Amino acid sequence: MLRDMVQLLPLRRRGATLFVSLSLAEPDATTLVDEIDQLQATVRMVRDLWPFELDAWVVLPDHLHAVLTLPFRDDDLAIRLNTIKARFAARVSKRAMTPSQIAAGGTHLWSAQDKVAPIRSRADMEIFRRQCWTDPVRHGFVGDPHDWPYSSYHRNSRTDPRRAAPDIRASA
């Protein structure tokens, strides 16, 4: 019986690389870019408390995508995401919240559904990095990923020439 129960437990990947999407509760909100300094400070603070590598990311007005890698022997993604969401909600100015979010103390700022996908290969990594880069194009905010300021596209394409696709707009 115990053996059967152990087999039912979810598998956890230690040192995993993951694609994460976090969304605000209100789809048309602009809070993440309006409060980008607060978001960046929050992510830095969480990385200091619970380290992780931020391989790629993009911040849009109402959602963000990130490719992140957890340290070896550390599988606690939830504490990192929950702390980012809670601390950002606590730091964000009231002017960026709707009346219902203010009344709830900011707890309803984020959607309850986080999306997480494991990255298992180099091909997966490239697909999800490209998604980070092309999402502002896909949503119509810019015509070229280079023009979106809230992305790791600039860092990745500058530091690793293999990351600079010949025409990233064509794949959007």
Side-chain angles (χ1 to χ4, degrees):
M1 168 123 171
L2 181 59
R3 186 179 324 146
D4 294 335
M5 287 175 38
V6 170
Q7 290 174 353
L8 295 176
L9 293 174
L11 297 176
R12 292 185 172 186
R13 293 172 39 104
R14 295 184 186 331
T17 301
L18 306 155
F19 178 74
V20 175
S21 296
L22 302 178
S23 299
L24 295 178
E26 295 190 24
D28 295 329
T30 59
T31 309
L32 295 180
V33 294
D34 292 345
E35 301 287 338
I36 191 68
D37 293 336
Q38 295 298 328
L39 179 61
Q40 290 172 328
T42 300
V43 170
R44 278 192 300 274
M45 185 269 311
V46 171
R47 285 176 68 189
D48 288 344
L49 292 172
W50 296 284
F52 61 91
E53 292 297 320
L54 193 55
D55 301 301
W57 86 324
V58 65
V59 178
L60 289 117
D62 64 352
H63 68 280
L64 66 86
H65 301 295
V67 175
L68 56 90
T69 302
L70 299 177
F72 184 66
R73 297 184 191 267
D74 183 345
D75 65 352
D76 200 346
L77 177 65
I79 196 162
R80 290 162 172 87
L81 299 184
N82 290 338
T83 304
I84 287 170
K85 292 178 357 179
R87 295 283 174 101
F88 178 73
R91 293 176 95 155
V92 73
S93 68
K94 299 251 189 261
R95 66 181 164 73
M97 291 189 211
T98 65
S100 63
Q101 290 167 337
I102 293 169
T107 58
H108 299 296
L109 184 65
W110 295 96
S111 168
Q113 298 296 324
D114 300 338
K115 296 177 184 150
V116 178
I119 296 177
R120 296 187 173 112
S121 67
R122 185 180 298 264
D124 284 352
M125 177 69 94
E126 291 307 314
I127 288 167
F128 287 120
R129 280 185 191 219
R130 187 173 294 269
Q131 182 172 343
C132 286
W133 296 341
T134 60
D135 211 37
V137 176
R138 188 173 67 83
H139 285 285
F141 293 116
V142 293
D144 186 314
H146 184 271
D147 296 334
W148 189 250
Y150 314 116
S151 167
S152 65
Y153 173 79
H154 310 284
R155 177 191 74 197
N156 294 129
S157 62
R158 183 176 57 246
T159 60
D160 187 348
R162 294 174 298 152
R163 302 280 183 247
D167 186 2
I168 208 161
R169 291 169 291 174
S171 65

